[in-house]
Amino acid sequence: MANISYVDGKQFRKALGAFATGVTVVTGRGSDGKDVGLTANSFNSVSLDPPMVLWSLGKSSSNLEAFMHTDHFAVHILSLDQEHVSNQFAKKDIDRFEGMAVERSVENIPLLGGCSARFECRTAYRYEGGDHVIFVGEVRSFESFDRPPLLFHSGKYGVLLKKSNAELKDPSSNFGDDFLGFLLRRAYFQLLAPLRADIQRRGLHEIHRSILSILSMGEGRSVAELGRLLELTGHRAEDNHFQELVAQGLVELGEDDGSPKVHFTLAGRQSAIEHMAVGKAAEEDAMQGLDPQEVRLLKALLNRVIQNTRASLPDSLSKEKFWLENNIWGARGTLRQ
Ligand SMILES: Cc1cc2nc3c(=O)[nH]c(=O)nc-3n(C[C@H](O)[C@H](O)[C@H](O)COP(=O)(O)O)c2cc1C
């Protein structure tokens, strides 16, 4: 236990950091008419009736003078996408408002957009609080937006993951529920069931689906190149698989610089797009009950697993560029016309 007659600043900060908070930017206007603002996670609610909030400002802050004199301030609860805003409003000796779209409150206080909630306040009280000044604001107006919040814990930003008892309880003794490889394989198998059915309906096999999927990441590759990329999916494509796709009218082999290059036919392109729509619907079904930020988190974590396990790939594959400029999806899966 830390001795309270002597407080090690570092240890004290560390202990305080155990308290997970959101992140806010507080803005105001100095007596010289200059906009001021800073990142603050000392924000908290105080009273519902009258509506009041508080935050505290370090006495050494370059903003102290301004906030000691302004009668109004605004608190913005930052959204998940505003980590850069938090960083910018915590940096010293820069114009913190640069590049920010600013609106104005009735009292001319700068208001930022893109946040999860915003409170316009009248400074009701200022209290001494050691090396900080505590500002209590009476909320004059507020808005909240349906955006997931940015979190802060132990000196790091975080995302909100709602605790669902079933998922976050201690890993069970059941090996199958606790082995990532098994979970990934099972989730993959189940998620792709509608895609397998779609492939069957089209009279194709899994290997054809894999070829078309790699082709949709970039057309005009040779049969050999596509075959190499397919190895990553654990499939081996033989010449006859390409011939079958040609026979179905889905791809054509054009003879560029001596080696046959594979392109979609119009029908093949349409078929790939329809197949992707089935895949997107399957993804939506699989993500039922998850918040958009949980879906983002899941994808971000899976990407991390992909990065962490990259070394297991043969050198040739880990350097391979899967996505070419002429892929059929365009940025973020929006279809190219
Ligand atoms: C996540 C985060 C939370 C912060 N919370 C506070 C706070 O509650 N109060 C405060 O005075 N400074 C806080 N700071 C530091 C300020 O944003 C700013 O960096 C500091 O006030 C120095 O700049 P200044 O002298 O221009 O105010 C925080 C910084 C970060 C990154």
Side-chain angles (χ1 to χ4, degrees), residues 23 38-42 55-58 60-63 86 89-92 96 132 152 157:
V23 183
L38 78 152
T39 302
N41 70 337
S42 51
W55 65 285
S56 64
L57 177 64
S60 62
S61 166
S62 62
N63 285 315
S86 170
F89 275 87
K91 259 199 202 119
K92 274 190 166 292
R96 291 178 175 171
H132 277 58
F152 198 68
Y157 295 112

